[in-house]
Amino acid sequence: MLAGDMAVDEIEGWLRERDADRLEELWSRADAVRRAAVGDAVHLRGLIEISNHCVRRCAYCGLNAGNRTLARYRMTQDEILGCVRQARGFGYGTIVLQGGEDPGITGPWLAEVLRLMEQEGPFAITLSLGERSIEDLRLWREAGADRYLLRFETSDRGLYEAVHPPVAGSLSDRLAMLGGLRRLGYEVGSGVMVGIPGQGYRSLAKDIALFRELDLDMVGVGPYLPHPATALGRGEVVRAIEPAEQVPNDADMAYKVVALTRLVCPEANIPATTALATADPQMGRRLGLERGANVIMPDLTPSKYRRAYEIYPAKAGSTQTPEECHETVLATIRAAGRTVGIGPGSRGR
Ligand code: 5AD
């Protein structure tokens, strides 16, 4: 059977697998598929966390609007362009602008930033700014944005609604937005958290099958990490589940999801995420690269803001400068025996 045809039952079996020898087989299959489909280059995406304002109240995220203890910031256009020039110095072929769902980031304001960025390029530009109107998404696409990241977090409708309270009465529908992005000509990325309280093995297996069904260009996954200023972090039970069914939120489970994602989406760009590096500070990024990943997103956010972009505590790199982050990432790529990608590193179709 082709890896891409793996059924939900088989995916679930791998998620429950504990035998070390069998898992070695999963890692080596994922690594072989990664090498054959996307090669040895590790593409670097310079990440700029442009705003930590957010109108949402997601039960897992430290940026949620109810968190009054967080000092909020929004970067200026000049500050963003400063980071963009630094990215060029580091040789990054892609810039990612990420932020909370912030109405202070207006459509026209960001379109102007995008046009100014184009003059510093060539870069591919990825946006990761939450659920935005189709008008904003069209404006930004026309102003030069190439890709958009929006994780669906879980395909289990009940769990999704339990952790994403509606804002101003409107239900959030991320799958619908992913379709809209595709029609606008964006490369589309999504993903999930691994081990959200209430997430069972079956539902995670279905998430992975959905990556394939959506034919995603980029898939980011990482362990759920509790934040004390959130409903889940305070221990509120949003969805009851049998303890034996609960997916653990550890690095080992996240590696399995990375490997299975590579098997179902051979050509996708898959990052070794910061959450993985936070759950396993010594080996997270390296093992991610060795078990299916082909992308790293070094953080370019200025030091004075970085600690305030606290989606979860003790985020890897939160005390580093952009230079230190860059060096750490290069060392990891060398240690894994891989090369640094050149150019935009788009999904080849
Ligand atoms: N733990 C792990 N990942 C988180 N994210 C948000 N909060 C957390 C958390 N507490 C992830 C979500 C979001 C991405 C930007 O960060 O998946 O889509």
Side-chain angles (χ1 to χ4, degrees), residues 60-62 98 128 150-151 153 174 192-193 222-227 275 309 311-313:
Y60 48 84
C61 182
Q98 187 176 83
S128 175
L150 182 72
R151 293 188 180 176
E153 316 292 1
R174 296 192 179 188
V192 299
M193 283 177 287
Y224 157 74
L225 301 162
H227 189 301
Y309 200 81
I311 55 185
Y312 46 79

Coordinates of all heavy atoms in Angstrom, one line a residue, residues 60-62 98 128 150-151 153 174 192-193 222-227 275 309 311-313, ligand 1:
Y60 N -6.6 27.7 24.9 CA -5.2 27.2 25.0 C -4.1 28.3 24.9 O -3.0 28.1 25.3 CB -4.9 26.1 23.9 CG -5.4 26.5 22.5 CD1 -4.5 27.3 21.7 CD2 -6.6 26.2 22.1 CE1 -4.9 27.7 20.5 CE2 -7.0 26.6 20.8 CZ -6.2 27.4 20.0 OH -6.6 27.8 18.8
C61 N -4.5 29.4 24.3 CA -3.4 30.4 23.9 C -3.2 31.5 24.8 O -4.2 32.2 25.2 CB -3.8 30.9 22.5 SG -2.5 32.0 21.8
G62 N -2.0 31.8 25.2 CA -1.6 32.9 26.1 C -2.0 34.3 25.6 O -2.0 35.2 26.4
Q98 N 3.5 36.9 11.5 CA 2.5 36.2 12.4 C 2.0 37.2 13.4 O 2.8 38.1 13.9 CB 3.2 35.0 13.0 CG 2.1 34.2 13.8 CD 2.7 32.9 14.3 OE1 3.3 32.9 15.4 NE2 2.6 31.8 13.6
S128 N 0.3 34.8 8.8 CA -0.3 33.9 9.8 C -1.0 34.8 10.8 O -0.4 35.1 11.8 CB 0.8 33.0 10.4 OG 0.3 32.2 11.5
L150 N -3.0 28.8 8.7 CA -4.1 28.8 9.6 C -4.4 27.4 10.0 O -5.0 26.6 9.3 CB -5.4 29.4 8.9 CG -6.6 29.5 9.8 CD1 -6.4 30.6 10.8 CD2 -7.9 29.7 9.0
R151 N -3.9 27.1 11.2 CA -4.1 25.7 11.7 C -5.6 25.5 12.0 O -6.3 26.4 12.6 CB -3.3 25.5 13.0 CG -1.8 25.5 12.8 CD -1.2 25.0 14.0 NE 0.3 25.0 13.9 CZ 1.1 24.7 14.9 NH1 0.6 24.5 16.1 NH2 2.4 24.7 14.8
E153 N -6.4 23.1 14.1 CA -6.2 22.8 15.5 C -6.8 21.4 15.9 O -6.2 20.7 16.6 CB -6.8 23.8 16.5 CG -6.4 25.3 16.2 CD -4.9 25.7 16.3 OE1 -4.1 24.8 16.6 OE2 -4.6 26.8 16.0
R174 N -12.6 27.6 10.2 CA -11.3 27.7 9.6 C -11.2 26.9 8.3 O -10.5 27.2 7.4 CB -10.2 27.3 10.6 CG -10.2 28.2 11.8 CD -9.0 28.0 12.7 NE -8.9 28.9 13.8 CZ -7.9 29.1 14.6 NH1 -6.8 28.3 14.4 NH2 -7.9 29.9 15.6
V192 N -2.3 21.1 13.4 CA -3.0 20.9 14.7 C -2.0 20.9 15.9 O -0.8 20.8 15.7 CB -3.7 19.5 14.7 CG1 -4.7 19.4 13.6 CG2 -2.7 18.4 14.6
M193 N -2.6 21.0 17.1 CA -1.8 20.8 18.3 C -2.0 19.3 18.7 O -3.1 18.8 18.5 CB -2.3 21.7 19.4 CG -1.8 23.1 19.3 SD -2.5 24.2 20.6 CE -4.1 24.3 20.0
G222 N 2.6 20.7 16.6 CA 3.5 20.7 17.7 C 2.7 20.3 18.9 O 1.4 20.3 18.9
P223 N 3.3 19.9 20.0 CA 2.6 19.6 21.2 C 1.9 20.7 21.8 O 2.4 21.9 21.8 CB 3.7 19.1 22.2 CG 5.0 19.7 21.7 CD 4.8 19.9 20.2
Y224 N 0.7 20.5 22.4 CA 0.0 21.5 23.2 C 0.8 21.7 24.5 O 1.2 20.8 25.2 CB -1.4 21.0 23.5 CG -2.0 21.6 24.8 CD1 -2.4 22.9 24.7 CD2 -2.0 21.0 26.0 CE1 -2.9 23.6 25.8 CE2 -2.5 21.6 27.1 CZ -2.9 22.9 27.1 OH -3.4 23.5 28.2
L225 N 1.1 23.0 24.8 CA 1.8 23.3 26.0 C 0.9 24.2 26.9 O 0.5 25.3 26.4 CB 3.1 24.1 25.6 CG 4.0 23.2 24.7 CD1 5.1 24.1 24.0 CD2 4.7 22.1 25.5
P226 N 0.7 23.8 28.2 CA -0.3 24.6 29.0 C 0.2 26.0 29.3 O 1.4 26.1 29.6 CB -0.4 23.7 30.3 CG 0.3 22.5 30.0 CD 1.2 22.6 28.8
H227 N -0.7 27.0 29.3 CA -0.3 28.3 29.7 C -1.3 28.7 30.8 O -2.5 28.5 30.7 CB -0.6 29.3 28.5 CG -0.1 30.7 28.8 ND1 -0.5 31.4 29.8 CD2 0.9 31.4 28.2 CE1 0.1 32.6 29.8 NE2 0.9 32.6 28.8
A275 N 7.3 24.8 19.1 CA 6.7 24.0 20.2 C 7.4 22.7 20.5 O 7.6 22.2 21.6 CB 5.2 23.7 19.9
Y309 N 5.4 37.7 23.2 CA 4.6 36.9 22.3 C 4.5 35.5 22.9 O 5.0 34.5 22.4 CB 5.3 36.8 20.9 CG 4.3 36.4 19.8 CD1 3.4 37.3 19.3 CD2 4.3 35.1 19.4 CE1 2.5 36.9 18.3 CE2 3.4 34.7 18.4 CZ 2.5 35.6 17.9 OH 1.6 35.2 16.9
I311 N 2.6 32.6 23.5 CA 1.4 31.8 23.3 C 1.4 30.6 24.2 O 0.4 30.1 24.6 CB 1.3 31.3 21.8 CG1 2.6 30.7 21.3 CG2 1.0 32.5 20.9 CD1 2.5 30.4 19.8
Y312 N 2.6 30.2 24.7 CA 2.8 29.2 25.8 C 4.1 29.6 26.5 O 4.9 30.3 25.9 CB 2.9 27.8 25.3 CG 3.8 27.6 24.1 CD1 5.1 27.5 24.2 CD2 3.2 27.6 22.8 CE1 6.0 27.4 23.1 CE2 4.0 27.4 21.7 CZ 5.4 27.3 21.8 OH 6.2 27.2 20.7
P313 N 4.3 29.2 27.8 CA 5.4 29.6 28.6 C 6.7 29.0 28.1 O 6.7 27.9 27.5 CB 5.1 29.1 30.0 CG 3.6 28.8 30.0 CD 3.3 28.4 28.6
Ligands
5AD1 N1 0.6 25.2 23.1 C1 1.0 24.8 21.9 N2 0.7 25.5 20.7 C2 -0.1 26.6 20.8 N3 -0.6 27.4 19.9 C3 -1.3 28.3 20.5 N4 -1.3 28.2 21.8 C4 -0.6 27.0 22.0 C5 -0.2 26.3 23.2 N5 -0.6 26.7 24.4 C6 -0.4 27.1 18.5 C7 -1.7 27.0 17.8 C8 -1.7 28.2 16.8 C9 -0.2 28.4 16.6 C10 0.2 29.8 16.1 O1 0.3 28.2 17.9 O2 -1.8 25.8 17.0 O3 -2.3 27.9 15.6

